[in-house]
Amino acid sequence: MEFKELLEKRSAESWEKYIPTLSIDCVIFSFHETALQVLTVKMKDQNFWGLPGGYVKKDENVDDAAIRILMDRTGTENIYLQQFYTFGNLKRSESAFQEYDDALWHKQRFISIGYYALAEHSKVKLVVDEYSTVVEWKSIEDLPLFMMDHRTIFDKALVTLREQLNNHPIGYNLLPEKFTMPELQKLYEAILGKKLNRGNFYRKILRYDILTKLDESRKGGAHKAPDLYSFDLEKYNSALKEGLKGSW
Amino acid sequence: MEFKELLEKRSAESWEKYIPTLSIDCVIFSFHETALQVLTVKMKDQNFWGLPGGYVKKDENVDDAAIRILMDRTGTENIYLQQFYTFGNLKRSESAFQEYDDALWHKQRFISIGYYALAEHSKVKLVVDEYSTVVEWKSIEDLPLFMMDHRTIFDKALVTLREQLNNHPIGYNLLPEKFTMPELQKLYEAILGKKLNRGNFYRKILRYDILTKLDESRKGGAHKAPDLYSFDLEKYNSALKEGLKGSW
């Protein structure tokens, strides 16, 4: 089916099925090969990349819509998901779908509710939907040009992660169950957008008493095998409730 | 005009003027007589209290709608305003307007974008609108029963204030230009929902180096007149950018 034909077909269905004016955009983070990554999609007939998103059904809670959209793209529901901001500028999407009829669902003004998700990289199974040609992880150091205001949405999500680092289980949800201290430090550096002193980082993170040092090390590298750690979830959650003390 | 008649008149206008499905609710805080207070309204024909709110015009940015709603209720635009969460549960307002026709604007499903505002108490001039009989400040220690999910919206706003205390100019916007240290401590205690040790609080807040001690004291009490302080806005903003270090 031609893209235009597809849009027109889906437009009629969407007017029936979804709440007007309201969309959801998801900033899905993962951590892989020492880089913070974000899930991006390339739409058919568009040169720009975008964030995965969707709409809210008339009989659906907004949070449930976000979970459904995430499931459709990543093949899993079991992902930490958090609403972070709603984007309501009048002209946020006026550049899109200009060549289509004004009655097209996709061309309407949408106020978009942003959710960020923290996915364990290895557990995600990417799904290309009918609107898109590619769906892939991109390092946040090397992002493509985004369509509409999706770059603004991404930036706001990252700032939110940064502000919530001491109150939300961000490390726990992005890292695999077992990780090395250099991996944890890389993750913190990626979120904070700055280099951290190794010694200070180790001292500080150990002082929180939220990690368990495992009786294993990571085999395979040329260097001395680094120790493996995991989060002590009970201590981690209780420390987050109070807020981890201090900034980085 | 009867309330029913008024609603029906406004309903027709609202369908014309506003984006469907979308509302705004404002949690307006102030600090007065050593208590954190929140602005509440009592609607005509309702036993419950609510938060001030409104709708978004079809040709209006969502942020501008929030500023307009705030202006209509408080007589001033010059208030710190911050979006904090969007409330999208299917049944969040199903208890309201049950006795009215299903086509009534006010009876529709609304997804509500929550904004919190920080007002300097003395600068606010309260305005009763045509839907309400009373608008007044209530201490957060002594809140009335709220309609719909407004209690949830209030609770989320307060938790947000708490989480943002180290990153946003909350003290600056709630206190008058000149304040005493006991007033500042009371404000922190009200937001955090707990008593703080006086000595620790003084040491910590002074260590941030964000206050200017003025060459004046507060006259009038039975006790020794307490010193007055004000925020050094430049230092305060630069410290907030990094995040004030430590939790309370």
Side-chain angles (χ1 to χ4, degrees):
Chain A
M1 208 190 306
E2 283 278 318
F3 189 58
K4 188 166 187 297
E5 213 180 312
L6 171 72
L7 278 184
E8 279 160 6
K9 182 156 177 266
R10 292 290 174 264
S11 176
E13 293 165 6
S14 297
W15 282 109
E16 280 294 309
K17 196 168 168 186
Y18 298 120
I19 293 180
T21 331
L22 203 73
S23 61
I24 288 181
D25 282 302
C26 294
V27 184
I28 309 174
F29 290 103
S30 76
F31 189 67
H32 186 57
E33 292 178 347
T34 74
L36 193 59
Q37 310 205 347
V38 63
L39 199 63
T40 57
V41 299
K42 194 165 185 194
M43 277 184 68
K44 286 175 182 164
D45 269 20
Q46 293 251 2
N47 286 319
F48 299 113
W49 294 75
L51 299 166
Y55 307 103
V56 183
K57 289 181 193 164
K58 286 181 178 164
D59 60 352
E60 188 178 40
N61 291 327
V62 171
D63 282 348
D64 292 335
I67 292 167
R68 173 176 53 78
I69 291 164
L70 202 61
M71 175 72 186
D72 286 349
R73 287 307 191 142
T74 63
T76 172
E77 286 188 327
N78 203 6
I79 287 183
Y80 183 85
L81 186 67
Q82 173 105 13
Q83 190 204 107
F84 68 94
Y85 202 76
T86 296
F87 300 85
N89 272 356
L90 196 52
K91 299 187 171 165
R92 52 175 297 274
S93 60
E94 69 171 353
S95 61
F97 304 105
Q98 272 174 333
E99 65 277 31
Y100 291 91
D101 192 277
D102 282 349
L104 186 81
W105 168 266
H106 310 77
K107 198 181 177 176
Q108 306 309 304
R109 175 183 183 183
F110 285 99
I111 280 81
S112 197
I113 307 180
Y115 281 80
Y116 76 75
L118 307 177
E120 197 188 319
H121 191 86
S122 67
K123 295 203 174 144
V124 171
K125 200 170 161 295
L126 300 183
V127 182
V128 180
D129 76 356
E130 59 181 6
Y131 289 118
S132 50
T133 53
V134 191
V135 48
E136 64 184 38
W137 294 106
K138 304 267 189 195
S139 162
I140 69 161
E141 300 294 330
D142 191 23
L143 291 175
L145 273 178
F146 279 138
M147 62 184 191
M148 302 195 294
D149 63 348
H150 285 197
R151 177 70 204 213
T152 305
I153 297 177
F154 166 79
D155 287 340
K156 181 79 180 172
L158 185 60
V159 167
T160 305
L161 271 200
R162 202 170 286 165
E163 287 191 7
Q164 296 187 344
L165 201 47
N166 283 353
N167 296 93
H168 293 253
I170 291 168
Y172 176 77
N173 284 290
L174 283 172
L175 289 170
E177 197 195 332
K178 301 170 183 183
F179 51 86
T180 68
M181 206 58 115
E183 285 163 357
L184 183 61
Q185 181 175 346
K186 284 276 183 201
L187 174 63
Y188 268 70
E189 289 178 342
I191 292 171
L192 295 166
K194 64 182 182 190
K195 287 273 168 208
L196 299 171
N197 175 281
R198 183 175 170 279
N200 289 346
F201 179 79
Y202 281 36
R203 262 192 302 282
K204 196 153 177 184
I205 204 89
L206 290 174
R207 212 188 304 131
Y208 289 149
D209 191 27
I210 55 176
L211 300 179
T212 305
K213 187 174 175 176
L214 303 175
D215 208 14
E216 305 170 52
S217 55
R218 170 74 48 83
K219 302 292 191 301
H223 300 285
K224 181 178 169 296
D227 294 319
L228 285 169
Y229 292 82
S230 68
F231 282 100
D232 180 327
L233 202 51
E234 204 175 310
K235 287 181 178 173
Y236 189 39
N237 282 333
S238 122
L240 289 172
K241 223 170 151 184
E242 276 291 297
L244 293 174
K245 293 177 201 312
S247 62
W248 295 95
Chain B
M1 209 188 304
E2 281 279 319
F3 189 58
K4 188 165 186 299
E5 213 180 311
L6 171 71
L7 278 184
E8 278 160 8
K9 182 155 177 269
R10 292 290 173 264
S11 176
E13 293 165 4
S14 297
W15 282 108
E16 280 294 309
K17 196 168 166 186
Y18 299 120
I19 294 180
T21 331
L22 203 72
S23 61
I24 287 181
D25 282 303
C26 294
V27 185
I28 309 174
F29 291 103
S30 75
F31 187 69
H32 186 58
E33 291 177 348
T34 74
L36 193 58
Q37 310 206 348
V38 64
L39 198 64
T40 57
V41 299
K42 192 163 187 196
M43 277 184 67
K44 285 174 182 166
D45 268 20
Q46 294 252 2
N47 287 319
F48 299 112
W49 294 75
L51 300 166
Y55 307 103
V56 182
K57 291 181 192 164
K58 286 180 178 165
D59 60 352
E60 189 178 42
N61 291 326
V62 171
D63 282 348
D64 292 335
I67 292 167
R68 172 177 53 77
I69 291 164
L70 202 61
M71 175 70 186
D72 287 349
R73 286 307 191 144
T74 64
T76 173
E77 287 188 327
N78 203 6
I79 288 183
Y80 184 85
L81 186 66
Q82 174 106 12
Q83 190 205 106
F84 68 96
Y85 203 77
T86 296
F87 299 85
N89 273 355
L90 198 51
K91 299 187 171 167
R92 53 175 296 274
S93 59
E94 69 172 354
S95 61
F97 304 105
Q98 273 175 332
E99 65 278 30
Y100 291 91
D101 191 275
D102 282 349
L104 186 80
W105 168 266
H106 311 78
K107 197 180 177 176
Q108 307 309 303
R109 175 183 184 185
F110 284 99
I111 280 82
S112 197
I113 307 181
Y115 281 79
Y116 76 74
L118 307 177
E120 196 187 320
H121 192 85
S122 67
K123 294 202 175 144
V124 172
K125 201 171 160 296
L126 300 183
V127 182
V128 180
D129 76 356
E130 59 182 7
Y131 289 119
S132 50
T133 52
V134 192
V135 48
E136 64 184 39
W137 294 106
K138 304 265 189 197
S139 162
I140 69 161
E141 299 295 329
D142 190 23
L143 291 176
L145 274 178
F146 278 139
M147 61 182 191
M148 304 198 289
D149 62 348
H150 285 198
R151 177 69 204 215
T152 306
I153 296 177
F154 166 80
D155 287 341
K156 181 78 179 169
L158 185 59
V159 166
T160 306
L161 271 200
R162 204 170 284 166
E163 287 192 6
Q164 296 188 344
L165 201 47
N166 283 354
N167 296 93
H168 293 252
I170 291 170
Y172 175 77
N173 284 290
L174 283 172
L175 289 169
E177 196 194 331
K178 301 170 183 182
F179 51 86
T180 68
M181 205 61 113
E183 285 163 356
L184 184 60
Q185 181 175 346
K186 283 275 182 204
L187 173 62
Y188 269 69
E189 289 178 341
I191 292 172
L192 295 166
K194 64 182 180 189
K195 287 274 168 208
L196 300 171
N197 175 280
R198 183 174 169 280
N200 289 346
F201 179 80
Y202 280 36
R203 261 190 303 280
K204 196 153 176 185
I205 204 88
L206 290 175
R207 212 187 305 131
Y208 289 150
D209 190 26
I210 55 175
L211 299 179
T212 305
K213 187 172 174 177
L214 303 175
D215 207 14
E216 305 171 51
S217 54
R218 171 74 46 84
K219 303 292 191 302
H223 301 283
K224 180 178 169 298
D227 293 319
L228 285 170
Y229 292 81
S230 68
F231 283 99
D232 181 326
L233 201 51
E234 204 175 310
K235 287 182 178 172
Y236 188 38
N237 282 332
S238 124
L240 289 172
K241 222 170 151 185
E242 274 292 296
L244 292 174
K245 293 177 201 308
S247 62
W248 295 95

